[in-house]
Amino acid sequence: MSRYRLLPTPAQQIGLLTHCAHARFVWNLAVEQHANWRPGRAPAPDYREQSRQLTEARGAFEWLAAGSQTVQQQALRDFHQAMANFFRGTHRKPNWRKAGVHEGFRQVAVRAEHVQRLNRKTGRVWVPKVGWVRFRWTRAIPTGAKSYRVTCDRARRWHVAFAVVPEPIPAPRTGHIVGVDRGVTVSAALSTGELLTCPGLSEGEADRLLKLLRRLSRARRGSNRRQRVKNAIAILKAKAVDRRKDWVEKTSTGLAARYDLIRVEDLNVVGMTRSARGTVERPGRGVRAKASLNRGILAAGWGQLVARLEDKAPGRVEKINPAFTSQTCWACGHCASESRESQAVFRCVACGHQANADVNAARNIAAGRAVTARGGDRVAGPANREPQFAPPSAV
Ligand SMILES: [Zn+2]
């Protein structure tokens, strides 16, 4: 998702707000139909049924028919996606949207010519029934953007965000399986022995970011100085985000194209980053603080890599319980924490097998076997894994 500041004229703002109102109206109707459902009653209408009702409503109400059908239709689709996410257990139940708080709508079937660059700093996007709306061209538009979402925040600032859902990449059909481990010393280790590094901030950039963060904590709230420091921080962070995105795209494409099955460790990235919140907001001095900044970037990179893999290789990504994958010898299966000689080196205390510690873990993940704890067959939860948590995403 890349977000840009949208610059509608006052007349266009009225048109955009109408789209927002219609999207909200349709969304809230859908919420209401589902809210009225109780066990034992007829099922709440599904997408097709609600879609039919929308067509009917557009026939009955002129004000609704005057709006954009795609905007209204998309609001319904978004609602059903939200319900699907809710039933999967990854998101909260969709709720009513309020005027002035949740202002936004989505436009789909966007074609390349619907987004144009006017000059170095300005672009324009085509919005049905509103026309060409200008936006600040602050970075390259992702290629292949198929939809965008327009939002208005509480400060009445408009934004447009382009979303790209990549096309699935066909499996090579070689039968090859790869394991990917989130490494301690590198960003990701492959069971093939490859070590991948997600670019973060350079030494100099990390120094500068730390300086700026310190300056920010001293700057008076609401002062111009504070705003300047904030802008400088935002530019540095955007740089790191761009690099990370680039790495995620290239890496996920490569893996999806080279392997039939991709096994990754199943880490609750959200929970792990949340548990360490606070370290980056008040960073210490020197190397540790710098390292933690970069670790935050990498933590976010890992989550994005797995998400992108699932987009590009649907049905070909398996999440493996990571318990003991880094203490178990890939060669003989012996599990002992002493085998993990250091962050980087694994040397099996039973058979003497030696390997890069992250690669050894990646091989266990590739094997996909439930790795057992010492002294028993039980599969232990991730809590028993040695800590590999990353601090919050700094960027
Ligand atoms: Zn061994």
Side-chain angles (χ1 to χ4, degrees):
M1 232 9 152
S2 330
R3 205 167 74 135
Y4 305 81
R5 185 73 178 273
L6 199 60
L7 309 162
T9 64
Q12 289 177 331
Q13 287 191 32
I14 296 170
L16 294 177
L17 278 171
T18 306
H19 282 340
C20 293
H22 289 173
R24 190 173 55 241
F25 174 79
V26 170
W27 173 280
N28 284 344
L29 265 185
V31 170
E32 197 168 316
Q33 288 185 332
H34 281 255
N36 282 333
W37 183 83
R38 297 282 176 281
R41 287 200 195 161
D46 62 2
Y47 171 69
R48 274 179 57 188
E49 172 58 16
Q50 285 189 326
S51 189
R52 202 189 52 74
Q53 291 173 359
L54 175 62
T55 310
E56 250 176 43
R58 279 175 63 86
F61 302 107
E62 215 172 301
W63 64 270
L64 204 58
S68 158
Q69 179 160 15
T70 53
V71 164
Q72 297 163 13
Q73 200 81 39
Q74 196 52 42
L76 264 189
R77 249 187 233 128
D78 288 349
F79 172 80
H80 283 276
Q81 182 59 49
M83 283 304 278
N85 292 343
F86 166 64
F87 285 123
R88 253 206 338 251
T90 53
H91 291 68
R92 279 196 285 185
K93 195 169 177 179
N95 220 329
W96 275 273
R97 289 189 169 163
K98 292 194 190 86
V101 181
H102 311 106
E103 297 287 11
F105 64 91
R106 186 187 302 281
Q107 186 61 41
V108 293
V110 175
R111 291 201 304 268
E113 63 264 30
H114 289 157
V115 186
Q116 294 174 357
R117 188 166 194 170
L118 294 174
N119 54 50
R120 203 167 66 81
K121 287 187 170 166
T122 329
R124 62 178 192 175
V125 57
W126 178 258
V127 182
K129 308 228 175 207
V130 175
W132 288 106
V133 183
R134 291 177 172 234
F135 65 89
R136 268 189 215 144
W137 193 288
T138 34
R139 63 172 82 170
I141 306 285
T143 43
K146 292 271 172 23
S147 75
Y148 61 77
R149 185 168 171 76
V150 169
T151 49
C152 179
D153 64 20
R154 291 181 201 219
R156 288 276 150 164
R157 284 176 306 206
W158 291 88
H159 291 96
V160 59
F162 297 95
V164 186
V165 176
E167 295 288 316
I169 294 171
R173 299 184 168 281
T174 51
H176 289 167
I177 298 171
V178 71
V180 189
D181 177 55
R182 176 160 81 161
V184 181
T185 49
V186 290
S187 311
L190 304 188
S191 50
T192 56
E194 281 168 84
L195 303 173
L196 311 177
T197 308
C198 171
L201 290 170
S202 75
E203 189 87 349
E205 287 164 341
D207 276 341
R208 189 167 145 65
L209 180 53
L210 282 176
K211 240 176 242 153
L212 287 168
L213 286 169
R214 257 176 243 137
R215 209 174 289 167
L216 183 71
S217 65
R218 287 196 302 263
R220 200 159 28 85
R221 278 189 183 280
S223 66
N224 285 333
R225 192 173 118 89
R226 189 180 172 86
Q227 196 51 51
R228 276 202 308 276
V229 174
K230 268 185 152 174
N231 289 346
I233 290 173
I235 289 170
L236 266 179
K237 289 188 171 179
K239 215 179 248 182
V241 167
D242 283 346
R243 280 179 204 155
R244 184 178 67 204
K245 274 190 182 154
D246 193 49
W247 178 81
V248 164
E249 293 305 335
K250 280 181 185 147
T251 308
S252 54
T253 298
L255 289 173
R258 277 158 63 201
Y259 299 100
D260 279 342
L261 187 61
I262 302 147
R263 290 197 169 122
V264 298
E265 40 179 352
D266 186 4
L267 291 179
N268 181 352
V269 176
V270 179
M272 291 204 327
T273 48
R274 200 173 282 157
S275 65
R277 181 176 289 168
T279 43
V280 169
E281 271 106 34
R282 272 180 286 112
R285 283 170 182 275
V287 184
R288 280 189 51 141
K290 254 189 288 181
S292 84
L293 278 177
N294 266 330
R295 265 207 308 276
I297 296 167
L298 304 186
W302 175 259
Q304 285 170 1
L305 179 64
V306 174
R308 254 328 187 222
L309 279 172
E310 287 179 322
D311 281 339
K312 292 181 183 175
R316 297 197 282 127
V317 179
E318 265 181 26
K319 292 187 174 170
I320 305 296
N321 182 348
F324 298 105
T325 46
S326 54
Q327 302 175 9
T328 302
C329 173
W330 172 73
C332 75
H334 184 78
C335 177
S337 59
E338 300 84 59
S339 296
R340 184 68 181 263
E341 211 172 73
S342 69
Q343 290 264 297
V345 179
F346 181 94
R347 185 180 289 129
C348 180
V349 291
C351 78
H353 172 71
Q354 193 181 332
N356 173 294
D358 294 327
V359 172
N360 177 69
R363 287 192 175 141
N364 283 326
I365 289 163
R369 57 175 171 227
V371 183
T372 52
R374 184 160 44 165
D377 288 333
R378 77 199 160 86
V379 175
N384 288 330
R385 198 179 191 219
E386 68 276 33
Q388 276 201 21
F389 72 82
S393 83
V395 178

